[in-house]
Amino acid sequence: MKLDLKPLCQRIADRLGIDPLVIKFEEMIDDSKLYIKEEYVAINKKFENDYEECAKSIAHEYRHVFQIFYVSLFSNERSKRWQKELQDVVNSSNMDTCGSNYIAQEIELDAFAFTKYYLEEFENIKVVNRIDKLDLYIHEYIKRSKDIL
């Protein structure tokens, strides 16, 4: 059974004010990855029949598209921080062994926070993160950043 992700992609894209990207399933180490130049989101093939994991991947990666869009439109403190992180992004290919430099990035915290906020608030999907203490940081971030979520 192939999941119909198009309506979800459209709802998330509409919420963020971006165009939806193509979704592809690929063999990969990560859960998902954004290919901005190629205009698609790759989701790990192991989630091909898991709607909730696909929803988490789509919301997270679409949020990165929003961040890129935001940086190109605004010149405030947030956009300057995001711009700097986007230029030197840490991902699975260059993160430290425990992943702390990956999760310490504001763009990642923001993407995880948006995912949790959006999916729980609008899609009735409970999001529990597997990264130790991440939900605590997300909760604080959501309280501080309601204006942009």
Side-chain angles (χ1 to χ4, degrees), residues 5-6 25 31 86 103 131 133 137:
L5 299 171
K6 275 195 182 348
F25 292 94
D31 289 350
L86 287 164
I103 199 59
I131 301 168
K133 293 195 174 108
Y137 296 118

Side-chain angles (χ1 to χ4, degrees), residues 97-110:
T97 49
C98 64
S100 60
N101 61 340
Y102 164 76
I103 199 59
Q105 298 172 104
E106 184 179 347
I107 56 171
E108 289 304 330
L109 179 58
D110 177 77

